[in-house]
């Protein structure tokens, strides 16, 4: 993973010890403006689309005609020392995005990732990707979901994702989060 971090984000040493961030150049100005205005907080102007005990995800509308983005962060980091001299979960996820994209997998476009550390201990971490407009996740096939009674669509969804999973395994990669919530599709 060290080689991938340094190759993709030019920040390996920083990634484990110091605060660091990588911003795609065409997104940096917007990111800095939102950060200064405290826009990337749960109490900010953007819509909360996912929340767990420690993590939150915001759907961020950019002021211009640019695509909306997804901002993922942690409201509190449990067991902070667990991440001492280790990559944060968001850094690992960003590396996975880069690896998957490199091998031709359909993934959201990575726009920004970073960590704040104090004496090597993770304090905050964030990940920003483009929002996949018009897509739903696999939970729509579960009881109560919009496509609960659409077996033909479920067959297409399942066969496509199992082929992608097999391709991952052929590359000696594992996906520990292979859940319906992590699988996107677009119903035509």
């Amino acid at each position: 993973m060290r080689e991938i971090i340094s190759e993709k984000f030019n920040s390996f040493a920083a990634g484990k010890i110091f605060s660091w961030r990588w911003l795609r150049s065409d997104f940096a100005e917007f990111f800095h403006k939102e950060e200064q205005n405290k826009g990337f907080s749960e109490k900010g102007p953007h819509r909360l689309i996912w929340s767990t005990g420690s993590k939150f995800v915001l759907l961020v509308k950019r002021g211009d005609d640019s695509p909306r983005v997804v901002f993922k962060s942690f409201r509190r980091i449990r067991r902070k020392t667990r991440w001492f001299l280790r990559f944060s979960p968001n850094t690992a996820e960003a590396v996975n995005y880069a690896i998957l994209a490199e091998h031709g997998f359909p993934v959201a476009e990575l726009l920004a990732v970073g960590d704040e550390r104090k004496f090597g201990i993770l304090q905050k971490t964030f990940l920003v990707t483009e929002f996949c407009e018009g897509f739903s996740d696999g939970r729509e096939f579960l009881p109560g979901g919009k496509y609960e009674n659409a077996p033909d669509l479920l067959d297409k969804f399942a066969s496509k994702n199992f082929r992608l999973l097999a391709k991952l395994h052929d590359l000696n990669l594992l996906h520990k989060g292979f859940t319906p919530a992590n699988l996107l599709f677009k119903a035509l």
Side-chain angles (χ1 to χ4, degrees):
M1 188 185 256
R2 173 185 3 197
E3 296 80 21
I4 295 164
I5 288 284
S6 60
E7 184 181 310
K8 298 293 178 199
F9 307 117
N10 300 319
S11 302
F12 168 67
K16 287 186 172 180
I17 301 169
F18 304 108
S19 296
W20 71 282
R21 58 179 49 185
W22 172 85
L23 307 172
R24 200 172 76 181
S25 59
D26 62 338
F27 182 70
E29 183 180 342
F30 176 80
F31 182 89
H32 292 306
K33 197 178 296 182
E34 283 296 306
E35 193 174 46
Q36 286 174 344
N37 295 330
K38 307 273 191 246
F40 293 130
S41 73
E42 287 180 276
K43 295 177 176 38
H46 305 296
R47 193 173 110 211
L48 183 68
I49 58 173
W50 183 260
S51 180
T52 65
S54 60
K55 181 170 49 174
F56 69 94
V57 179
L58 300 173
L59 180 58
V60 178
K61 183 169 174 35
R62 295 165 73 177
D64 53 11
D65 291 334
S66 300
R68 296 185 292 176
V69 300
V70 174
F71 177 87
K72 181 189 291 188
S73 190
F74 290 81
R75 63 177 64 85
R76 69 179 174 280
I77 297 171
R78 297 180 185 155
R79 300 184 319 231
K80 290 181 180 185
T81 54
R82 176 181 183 193
W83 309 110
F84 182 70
L85 298 178
R86 294 182 64 204
F87 297 114
S88 72
N90 282 341
T91 300
E93 187 172 339
V95 170
N96 289 337
Y97 272 98
I99 291 169
L100 292 172
E102 201 171 90
H103 289 286
F105 286 86
V107 294
E109 187 72 29
L110 182 64
L111 299 173
V113 61
D115 295 338
E116 270 185 42
R117 292 178 181 266
K118 189 173 186 177
F119 305 112
I121 297 176
L122 188 63
Q123 304 296 310
K124 291 182 183 178
T125 180
F126 68 89
L127 176 84
V128 184
T129 64
E130 285 186 346
F131 178 67
C132 297
E133 297 283 353
F135 283 77
S136 299
D137 67 49
R139 292 176 293 184
E140 295 287 359
F141 293 105
L142 298 176
K146 187 163 52 173
Y147 302 112
E148 163 182 27
N149 296 314
D152 292 343
L153 191 56
L154 175 60
D155 286 346
K156 286 180 190 174
F157 171 74
S159 64
K160 179 179 181 179
N161 281 293
F162 286 130
R163 279 194 304 276
L164 290 171
L165 183 62
K167 183 178 174 183
L168 269 179
H169 291 170
D170 288 345
L171 295 167
N172 292 320
L173 300 172
L174 300 175
H175 190 304
K176 293 194 268 184
F178 193 76
T179 66
N182 286 336
L183 303 173
L184 298 180
F185 74 99
K186 189 177 242 183
L188 300 173

